[in-house]
Amino acid sequence: MTSRTSSSTIKRSWSAALVAALLMSAAACSGGGTQPGASPTAESQSPSAASTPSATPTPAPSYKPADASGRAQNVPVPVLPEVAKSETKEGLEAFARYWFQLLSYGYETGDTTPLDAITTPGCELCLNVTQAISSNYESGKWLAGGRVETPSVSTSYAEQPDGQYQVVVQVQQAMISYIGPGGTEFRTPTPPSDTGNVMIAEFASGAWRLTGLHPIR
């Protein structure tokens, strides 16, 4: 048998097998029912399983800054970094950034509780700031803007005789608008600022706390 004859024979055999398979499939599809004595298939015995709809994840509420129409919404609460829990230079700098993040959160929400928790009562400037924030959220009032950023935070990490440390922080704050009920401004906005500050902190009971804050003149 030549290669051409062998190839033709293989093609004819393959074509015949395909035709036979198609005919068997057509016959099975056109059959009126199960032949006598034939056992029903497992597929015909068990009903098809009901499809279970997959759960759709609920989208997280989106952040919306305050404006004349209302207060800020869904402001994320700053989280204390793990490194800020350590009594190290890196821990102190991370704590300083975290403190000002909570200050920014206070300006946006009126909630200074997290800030108060890591600030000693002896910090007079801190107390004045938090009281001013709270008063500007009373009687249906709120603040728009005022977000705080700290582009530069540095410390020599030299312990003072009283066991405290100093951190120099550059603080930038956006313009603050004072909104009253109905969306009207009740005082002139505070312009944006860029200031230097010396932050005094201590490490006690396994955590950093701010004890003083002094603007650099």
Side-chain angles (χ1 to χ4, degrees):
M1 180 184 297
T2 64
S3 59
R4 178 177 299 178
T5 303
S6 175
S7 175
S8 299
T9 303
I10 292 173
K11 289 181 180 179
R12 285 197 299 272
S13 299
W14 181 83
S15 299
L18 177 61
V19 171
L22 291 173
L23 290 174
M24 290 176 63
S25 175
C29 292
S30 61
T34 305
Q35 295 182 357
S39 300
T41 63
E43 183 178 354
S44 64
Q45 286 179 332
S46 59
S48 59
S51 59
T52 303
S54 57
T56 303
T58 303
S62 57
Y63 162 75
K64 180 182 180 300
D67 54 25
S69 65
R71 299 186 179 193
Q73 299 177 18
N74 307 310
V75 182
V77 183
V79 178
L80 178 68
E82 196 64 31
V83 65
K85 301 176 184 179
S86 63
E87 190 178 6
T88 61
K89 178 179 183 292
E90 294 75 19
L92 176 55
E93 291 176 345
F95 169 77
R97 292 188 184 93
Y98 173 68
W99 192 91
F100 281 101
Q101 288 170 1
L102 288 181
L103 177 62
S104 183
Y105 176 80
Y107 273 103
E108 287 204 86
T109 65
D111 181 11
T112 62
T113 303
L115 189 68
D116 294 336
I118 59 172
T119 306
T120 64
C123 179
E124 294 183 7
L125 178 58
C126 306
L127 182 61
N128 292 337
V129 170
T130 55
Q131 286 180 342
I133 291 174
S134 297
S135 66
N136 283 301
Y137 275 87
E138 294 175 348
S139 304
K141 299 180 294 185
W142 68 90
L143 300 177
R147 294 190 67 178
V148 177
E149 296 183 350
T150 52
S152 175
V153 177
S154 63
T155 177
S156 62
Y157 200 62
E159 185 176 1
Q160 305 300 307
D162 57 1
Q164 301 188 87
Y165 297 84
Q166 294 185 357
V167 188
V168 178
V169 185
Q170 179 189 5
V171 180
Q172 294 178 341
Q173 186 169 28
M175 182 181 74
I176 306 172
S177 297
Y178 303 84
I179 315 297
T184 58
E185 295 189 31
F186 60 87
R187 58 166 290 184
T188 304
T190 298
S193 60
D194 188 347
T195 60
N197 296 267
V198 176
M199 180 179 185
I200 312 298
E202 65 178 8
F203 193 85
S205 302
W208 288 104
R209 292 199 310 167
L210 183 140
T211 61
L213 187 64
H214 309 283
I216 299 175
R217 303 298 181 185

